[in-house]
Amino acid sequence: RCVGCDYKVSVSRSCNRTSNFNSRGKRSPPHIAFNSELKKMMQLMIFVAFLFVSASAHAKLKIGDRFPPIDLKILNSKQTFDNKTIRGKVVLIDIWGSDCPPCRLAMPKMNEIYLNLRKRDFVILGINVDESDDDVKYFLQEYKIDYPLLDDRKHGLVKTLGIEVMPTSYLVDSTGTVRYIHKGFRSGDGSLLEKQIRLLLDKKTAK
């Protein structure tokens, strides 16, 4: 699911062309063939309209928007995440998957940032999208993660946010407002993320 450097979330659709010949191998009359093509055009228009409505329903979260309440369970647990635990804190919400190479590159740096800044009312929430328990298990055997991980295997939050690239990280201030969005992860991005986090923490401290 992860191609190149960024994980693209996409939806594809295929269709089969209808033949202009009937079941006996004879060419259908022109008006029947025309009606068939018209029907296909109508179906395509309906499908495009459906995609437009779906995209509107799941508009991308933007800088300045309020981050929605998180209704997910803690990874490998039946316990539901309590949104009160992050109230008043600066939060980095990172959407990731175990089969995504950029996510694997990002996780150690994310953990390092968390350990350096967690005493400053800062927390990272890792939102995992894996559908397989084994994938998560093997990943966590390889990478030690100290910050909370949540389970979005049904991709409910991913759809709400309009995620297109993985990993995607949302930096949220103490009021719950999105202040910075980082898409993908390449070498050097960790320092950029940490800079944005420290700037937001400094503003919070100055108030």
Side-chain angles (χ1 to χ4, degrees):
R1 293 180 296 170
C2 186
V3 180
C5 193
D6 295 332
Y7 176 110
K8 295 289 185 181
V9 180
S10 62
V11 178
S12 63
R13 177 178 183 265
S14 62
C15 58
N16 295 321
R17 181 172 296 277
T18 303
S19 172
N20 287 341
F21 292 85
N22 60 26
S23 59
R24 295 181 180 179
K26 295 181 179 180
R27 182 177 295 274
S28 302
H31 69 279
I32 295 179
F34 175 78
N35 288 340
S36 176
E37 292 297 326
L38 181 61
K39 182 178 179 181
K40 286 190 294 181
M41 288 179 61
M42 291 296 295
Q43 290 174 338
L44 180 59
M45 291 173 64
I46 292 171
F47 179 71
V48 170
F50 170 77
L51 288 182
F52 178 79
V53 172
S54 297
S56 299
H58 299 295
K60 297 176 188 176
L61 195 71
K62 305 180 298 297
I63 292 174
D65 290 345
R66 296 273 296 182
F67 199 91
I70 298 173
D71 184 19
L72 298 173
K73 293 190 183 303
I74 295 171
L75 194 64
N76 297 325
S77 167
K78 294 182 179 180
Q79 181 181 350
T80 301
F81 174 72
D82 186 357
N83 285 271
K84 293 179 182 177
T85 60
I86 59 173
R87 187 174 296 169
K89 295 184 178 182
V90 171
V91 186
L92 183 69
I93 300 162
D94 181 55
I95 317 295
W96 66 281
S98 63
D99 60 351
C100 167
C103 299
R104 290 175 171 268
L105 178 65
M107 298 296 271
K109 184 59 181 179
M110 293 285 191
N111 203 58
E112 180 184 328
I113 293 172
Y114 171 71
L115 294 176
N116 289 339
L117 299 176
R118 61 181 172 177
K119 293 182 179 180
R120 295 187 61 184
D121 270 345
F122 168 72
V123 66
I124 295 178
L125 295 179
I127 311 296
N128 178 258
V129 300
D130 288 313
E131 298 175 359
S132 166
D133 291 333
D134 287 341
D135 288 345
V136 178
K137 177 183 176 182
Y138 295 138
F139 182 91
L140 295 179
Q141 286 176 351
E142 185 177 355
Y143 296 90
K144 176 174 169 48
I145 307 300
D146 295 285
Y147 52 83
L149 300 176
L150 308 182
D151 186 350
D152 191 27
R153 70 178 61 204
K154 294 182 179 179
H155 304 164
L157 183 60
V158 166
K159 292 176 182 176
T160 297
L161 301 177
I163 297 292
E164 293 181 335
V165 175
M166 284 188 49
T168 292
S169 301
Y170 297 87
L171 183 58
V172 179
D173 69 13
S174 56
T175 69
T177 303
V178 178
R179 295 303 180 190
Y180 177 74
I181 301 174
H182 191 88
K183 297 182 180 182
F185 196 90
R186 297 174 176 83
S187 178
D189 282 4
S191 298
L192 176 61
L193 263 175
E194 185 169 357
K195 179 181 179 180
Q196 294 294 329
I197 295 166
R198 288 183 179 276
L199 285 172
L200 205 53
L201 287 170
D202 289 343
K203 286 182 181 179
K204 181 177 182 294
T205 304
K207 289 182 180 180

